[in-house]
Amino acid sequence: MTIDPATANAPLDAPRRRELALALVAERGFVRVAELSRAFGVTTVTARADLDSLERQGGIRRVHGGAVPLSSPLAAERPEREPSFEEALEASVEPKRRIGEHAASLVRSGQSIILDVGTTTLQVARALRARTDLEDLVVFTNGLSIALELEPEIPRFTVVVTGGTLRPKQHSLVHPLAGSMLDEVHVDLAFIGCNGVDPVHGVTNANLPEASVKSLMMRAAARSIVVADAAKLGEVHLGRIAAIDAFDALVTDAAAPTPIVAELVDAGLAVHFARDSRVDP
């Protein structure tokens, strides 16, 4: 099915848009929010609302960045709950490793950084350990897994755990007390993990207490970099961390959907694409 340009440029009411969107999903097997936005001349917010309405009616299944038919194997992809740290660790392993290496390449000896909780930031920690040229690095983190990952590098690295209440699901430290230390420090770089990066709704997280701590981390840093694999682009979750223009850069992988990347760049966000350092350029 193709959209007639004349039809696409003409205003369409919601029922007609949703009828066409349903047909596109059935035909293609997967349609992105950004594609519907361009095809129908509406905002991504409106395109998402159309897909959400179709999902409530039982016509499609919403997945990362778009929608699939109910019969698609991808229909089970979108989690109905926050995944545990261990579940997230098994997803997008190679993209996260590449993102971690690229993010770690931005760090210099003598700097102080924040590593937010998360499986992508864990990969940043692993890549920092592999950087034998780094000295006198101070790392603040609210992630117990990250602190344990970096422990063997002491005293080359100084590792500071924020403190706070332990969330077993992510092995993270949140309020109360997590913000007390962050109010007292100022670091060079903050690497922030998330569950969603959207041009309109900003960077979001599935858990409100963690989203709050992430916001405080950004306030404590001279520069903030969001690290997110391609599957998180176009996603919107419960807790808002910050608007897109509050970040200095996004580090993602090469599978990032071009239309969403273009919207992020238009919103003023620098986008870095991580490549596999083990492959010759």
Side-chain angles (χ1 to χ4, degrees), residues 21 28 34 57 87 90 98 128 148 186-187 197 246 260 275:
R28 299 182 184 178
Q57 296 168 18
E87 289 170 332
E90 296 176 359
R98 292 192 288 270
L128 289 171
L148 292 173
H186 184 73
V187 304
V197 180
I260 296 178
R275 66 178 181 83

Side-chain angles (χ1 to χ4, degrees), residues 221-273:
R223 298 177 62 226
S224 296
I225 298 173
V226 58
V227 289
D229 61 82
K232 294 175 181 175
L233 272 58
E235 284 289 290
V236 179
H237 290 266
L238 178 64
R240 191 169 191 260
I241 300 168
I244 289 299
D245 60 7
F247 290 87
D248 294 277
L250 160 69
V251 180
T252 188
D253 61 273
T258 301
I260 296 178
V261 169
E263 289 186 61
L264 293 171
V265 172
D266 287 344
L269 184 64
V271 179
H272 299 191
F273 295 100

Side-chain angles (χ1 to χ4, degrees), residues 48 62-66 78-79 81-83 88 96 116-120 192-208 210-211 214-215 218 225-245 247 249-252 257 260-261 264 269:
R48 284 193 190 89
R62 291 280 274 115
V63 296
H64 290 301
R78 191 183 192 208
R81 57 178 179 80
E82 179 189 11
K96 289 177 181 178
D116 177 28
V117 68
T119 54
T120 307
I192 305 296
C194 66
N195 295 115
V197 180
D198 181 80
V200 175
H201 296 283
V203 178
T204 55
N205 200 67
N207 179 266
L208 285 173
E210 284 185 6
K214 293 170 193 286
S215 297
M218 293 179 65
I225 298 173
V226 58
V227 289
D229 61 82
K232 294 175 181 175
L233 272 58
E235 284 289 290
V236 179
H237 290 266
L238 178 64
R240 191 169 191 260
I241 300 168
I244 289 299
D245 60 7
F247 290 87
L250 160 69
V251 180
T252 188
I260 296 178
V261 169
L264 293 171
L269 184 64

Side-chain angles (χ1 to χ4, degrees), residues 121-139:
T121 45
L122 177 63
Q123 292 293 345
V124 179
R126 289 173 176 171
L128 289 171
R129 288 192 62 189
R131 288 273 310 274
T132 56
D133 60 308
L134 281 181
E135 298 287 345
D136 300 320
L137 187 67
V138 179
V139 183

Side-chain angles (χ1 to χ4, degrees), residues 14-98:
R16 179 58 177 157
R17 281 198 318 270
R18 292 166 186 175
E19 178 185 352
L20 291 171
L22 184 62
L24 282 171
V25 172
E27 178 185 288
R28 299 182 184 178
F30 175 56
V31 172
R32 292 195 177 278
V33 168
E35 292 175 318
L36 296 179
S37 174
R38 289 196 314 273
F40 300 142
V42 297
T43 66
T44 54
V45 175
T46 298
R48 284 193 190 89
D50 288 341
L51 293 180
D52 290 342
S53 175
L54 290 171
E55 183 177 47
R56 287 193 297 271
Q57 296 168 18
I60 60 165
R61 177 67 165 161
R62 291 280 274 115
V63 296
H64 290 301
V68 297
L70 287 176
S71 59
S72 170
L74 293 175
E77 181 181 306
R78 191 183 192 208
E80 295 298 333
R81 57 178 179 80
E82 179 189 11
S84 69
F85 188 91
E86 287 71 23
E87 289 170 332
L89 197 60
E90 296 176 359
S92 304
V93 175
E94 281 304 302
K96 289 177 181 178
R97 180 187 63 78
R98 292 192 288 270

